[in-house]
Amino acid sequence: MSKPYGFRYRSGQYVFLQCPTISPFEWHPFSITSAPGDDYISVHIQTRGDWTQELKHIFVENYFSPCLPSRASFGELGMPEQKSPPRLLVDGPYGAPAQDFRNYDVLLLVGLGIGATPFISILRDLLNNIKLADELMDLSMETSRSEDSSNTFSVSTASSNKRRAYRTSRAHFYWVTREPGSFEWFKSVMDEVAEMDKKGVIELHNYLTSVYEERDARTTLLSMVQALNHAKNGIDIVSGTRVRTHFARPNWREEFTRISAKHPGSTVGVFYCGKPTLAKELKKLSLEMSRKTMTRFHFHKEYF
């Protein structure tokens, strides 16, 4: 959507949307998936009820239809009229736990299915920061070669200020879903992160849970085929992206142990969005690993 004038938000927040074409009274909440620096607002909507089904129908039939319907309307010159997209009203933004991600050195983001949406905005935000930092670094190197020392000072100062504004240095994103088709939702984002993140700031992990158990022979065969295809073509056979897909559920204790060993002495913000079941395990591990290791895990949850 086009961003309303003066509309400001933080990654992790959400908005309420109304489509007057469907109902002038219904408002529905959706997490923002665009980054604050983008010149638009985006949300990802899963069709689950009457309102979302009708919204999808309006967009597909009137705006994204690849061919003209049988009852197409024509203008005075006999050309088919291009229908404008439906008008959407935005209320918000509203605060959510994930908006405080900048308070932590390291991020552990866990999304179940459509629960990945609030973290997509965070990944975009981090990616934009990586791009900006690289641009500032290139500019600083160019100006350092020139004779104007004052420009060098101003650019390096701006670069250091930007780095100070971003306390977060690393992010680990775990997306757990049952449907292989779900990976299409954020395919472009994952490919962009994999391509732009040369320094390995963002770690992406996809988990598909609708296959077999972890030690099942069929899972092992799938993993072998997948590894060969990824090594040969650089593309995952399940997600269609550069990010490798793991089968079965993550071993969260092993993941927490690995992250604590990788970031000793750091403060890790654990952000979860999904159903309540997994929240208990993640909260328990956050408390346990904070006591046993030098790494401090702070747990935040958001249910959908």
Side-chain angles (χ1 to χ4, degrees):
M1 299 164 282
S2 57
K3 185 185 290 186
Y5 178 77
F7 185 86
R8 300 179 66 181
Y9 63 94
R10 297 167 66 180
S11 292
Q13 293 183 332
Y14 67 96
V15 294
F16 281 89
L17 292 183
Q18 183 204 101
C19 182
T21 307
I22 302 175
S23 170
F25 306 109
E26 289 189 49
W27 292 86
H28 296 269
F30 299 100
S31 296
I32 304 172
T33 54
S34 53
D38 295 333
D39 58 357
Y40 59 88
I41 307 172
S42 70
V43 295
H44 283 67
I45 300 175
Q46 188 177 37
T47 50
R48 283 187 169 179
D50 295 340
W51 191 88
T52 52
Q53 289 283 359
E54 184 62 24
L55 185 68
K56 178 183 177 181
H57 174 77
I58 289 172
F59 270 95
V60 171
E61 292 295 323
N62 297 332
Y63 192 58
F64 292 116
S65 181
C67 57
L68 287 173
S70 56
R71 296 183 180 180
S73 58
F74 293 87
E76 295 180 358
L77 299 177
M79 297 296 291
E81 293 181 350
Q82 176 67 41
K83 293 186 178 181
S84 60
R87 184 166 173 255
L88 296 174
L89 305 182
V90 181
D91 179 28
Y94 290 93
Q99 73 180 48
D100 296 325
F101 73 95
R102 294 189 187 183
N103 296 336
Y104 299 97
D105 305 317
V106 180
L107 300 179
L108 173 52
L109 311 173
V110 182
L112 257 62
I114 197 64
T117 48
F119 307 133
I120 296 304
S121 178
I122 294 177
L123 294 181
R124 286 186 185 275
D125 202 5
L126 292 173
L127 190 63
N128 288 345
N129 184 57
I130 292 171
K131 292 178 183 177
L132 182 59
D134 289 342
E135 290 171 1
L136 287 172
M137 186 62 67
D138 293 341
L139 186 59
S140 178
M141 292 177 65
E142 288 178 8
T143 53
S144 65
R145 297 191 188 100
S146 67
E147 297 178 356
D148 191 351
S149 59
S150 60
N151 286 345
T152 305
F153 174 78
S154 63
V155 171
S156 61
T157 303
S159 179
S160 63
N161 286 339
K162 187 65 182 178
R163 283 195 295 270
R164 279 198 295 270
Y166 268 77
R167 176 181 173 182
T168 307
S169 60
R170 292 293 299 271
H172 303 263
F173 176 54
Y174 292 80
W175 188 13
V176 185
T177 181
R178 289 185 56 82
E179 303 297 331
S182 303
F183 295 122
E184 286 289 332
W185 299 345
F186 310 117
K187 180 178 178 180
S188 60
V189 178
M190 290 190 289
D191 276 337
E192 191 175 5
V193 170
E195 182 179 353
M196 294 297 301
D197 187 17
K198 306 296 184 184
K199 300 177 182 177
V201 174
I202 303 172
E203 253 187 40
L204 302 176
H205 304 272
N206 293 338
Y207 281 84
L208 183 63
T209 61
S210 60
V211 288
Y212 316 108
E213 292 300 323
E214 187 177 7
R215 292 177 177 83
D216 192 289
R218 291 166 293 186
T219 301
T220 305
L221 179 60
L222 273 172
S223 300
M224 291 174 60
V225 173
Q226 181 196 47
L228 288 171
N229 186 77
H230 194 276
K232 182 179 179 180
N233 304 313
I235 300 296
D236 182 76
I237 59 174
V238 178
S239 66
T241 69
R242 302 185 183 188
V243 183
R244 285 279 300 275
T245 299
H246 307 277
F247 301 109
R249 293 173 176 80
N251 186 322
W252 292 113
R253 182 174 294 277
E254 288 183 1
E255 297 304 322
F256 270 76
T257 302
R258 183 180 68 86
I259 291 173
S260 63
K262 197 170 187 177
H263 308 286
S266 298
T267 304
V268 180
V270 183
F271 294 93
Y272 169 72
C273 185
K275 296 182 179 179
T277 311
L278 182 56
K280 297 178 181 178
E281 181 181 356
L282 295 178
K283 182 179 181 179
K284 181 181 177 181
L285 281 170
S286 297
L287 294 172
E288 180 183 332
M289 298 302 290
S290 294
R291 290 194 302 265
K292 290 183 176 180
T293 69
M294 295 294 292
T295 308
R296 297 291 173 263
F297 293 88
H298 296 261
F299 179 71
H300 306 270
K301 66 179 183 296
E302 183 179 352
Y303 297 146
F304 66 86

